[in-house]
Amino acid sequence: MVDVLDLGHVRLHVADEGPRDAPAVIFANSLGTDFRLWDAILPHLPPGLRIVRADKRGHGLSQTTGPISIDDLADDVAGIIAALELDRPVYVGLSIGGLIGQSLALRHGDAIGGLVLSNTAAKIGESTIWTDRIAAIEAGGIGVIAEPTMERWFSPAFRATPDCGAWKLMLERQDQAGYLACCRAIAEADFRERLAGVQGPVLCIGGSLDGSTPPEAMRDLTDRISGARLEIIEGVGHLPCVEAPALYADLLAGHLRDIGHI
Ligand SMILES: O=C(O)CC1=CCC(=O)O1
């Protein structure tokens, strides 16, 4: 079922697929993408899962609101879990989705049954990266950042394929105010001194060619969480679920088995 979920303060576009009583996994996508980010891994996941994907505020078909924080976005995820009556789903968040996951684990740890932090960091980039990006978009529109963003998102090999064009278009079509609100939320988020409050087992996944949250950032994040383990997928950029979907799904499935979720 794909639907609009009204949480009262915001309406979110959510896909809820699979048997209602099955072990659930909830996915959160990155800045500038909608929940189709996960399409390619779905056929590779073990059968019989309940899969929930949601466009965060200001992305895809979800509503854009005023200023937001990563904690607000984590509260939205907790709201989705409660509204859909999910039984402690495993949360998988990529990039800003990973920041949201760190906040979710700290604020609503009892609501989730496991955590996967993909292509993210305890703090993503210095503040100037975000103030420069915001200024560039305010001056010239989201299109001005599209080409350099593809270089961070994808390996040279993937950028040479026609598929890359669709991802660039997805970025260019995001709501500008929604995208900028998320940039401001990322700029303010810093979990470096807070992660002692997150307990493993946590699976961290990175890409060897990730230009946004490189392997060093993933290692730093993993080292800060007791019981976390890191897998780096070789030859892919910031969105390994797009570039290496079978491998990504295998890592995820292995983790679901390791923690007894399936
Ligand atoms: O656009 C990028 O640089 C990649 C990115 C950073 C945070 C996020 O969610 O995506």
Side-chain angles (χ1 to χ4, degrees), residues 88-99:
R88 304 195 78 225
V90 167
Y91 175 92
V92 182
L94 192 148
S95 202
I96 184 175
L99 292 174

Side-chain angles (χ1 to χ4, degrees), residues 17 21 29 51 54 60 62 68-69 79 98 119 132-133 137 143 159 179 192 202 218 235 243 246 256:
E17 293 155 304
D21 57 351
N29 38 289
I51 302 285
S62 287
I68 46 168
S69 65
N119 304 83
D132 291 353
R133 194 185 297 193
I137 293 171
R159 291 205 304 279
Y179 183 95
R192 284 176 294 188
V202 174
M218 290 299 307
E243 283 200 69
L256 297 179

Side-chain angles (χ1 to χ4, degrees), residues 92-123:
V92 182
L94 192 148
S95 202
I96 184 175
L99 292 174
I100 297 166
Q102 293 167 64
S103 172
L104 186 69
L106 289 166
R107 291 167 74 77
H108 304 281
D110 290 346
I112 54 172
L115 186 61
V116 178
L117 300 175
S118 179
N119 304 83
T120 189
K123 173 161 178 57

Side-chain angles (χ1 to χ4, degrees), residues 29-33 56 59 94-99 119-120 124 129-130 133 145 148-149 152-153 171 179 182 186 210-213 238-239:
N29 38 289
S30 58
L31 183 67
T33 65
K56 68 187 154 296
H59 280 68
L94 192 148
S95 202
I96 184 175
L99 292 174
N119 304 83
T120 189
I124 302 184
I129 289 180
W130 298 105
R133 194 185 297 193
I145 59 138
T149 299
R152 293 190 301 274
W153 280 8
L171 169 68
Y179 183 95
C182 285
I186 295 169
D210 186 338
S212 299
T213 51
H238 190 55
L239 306 181

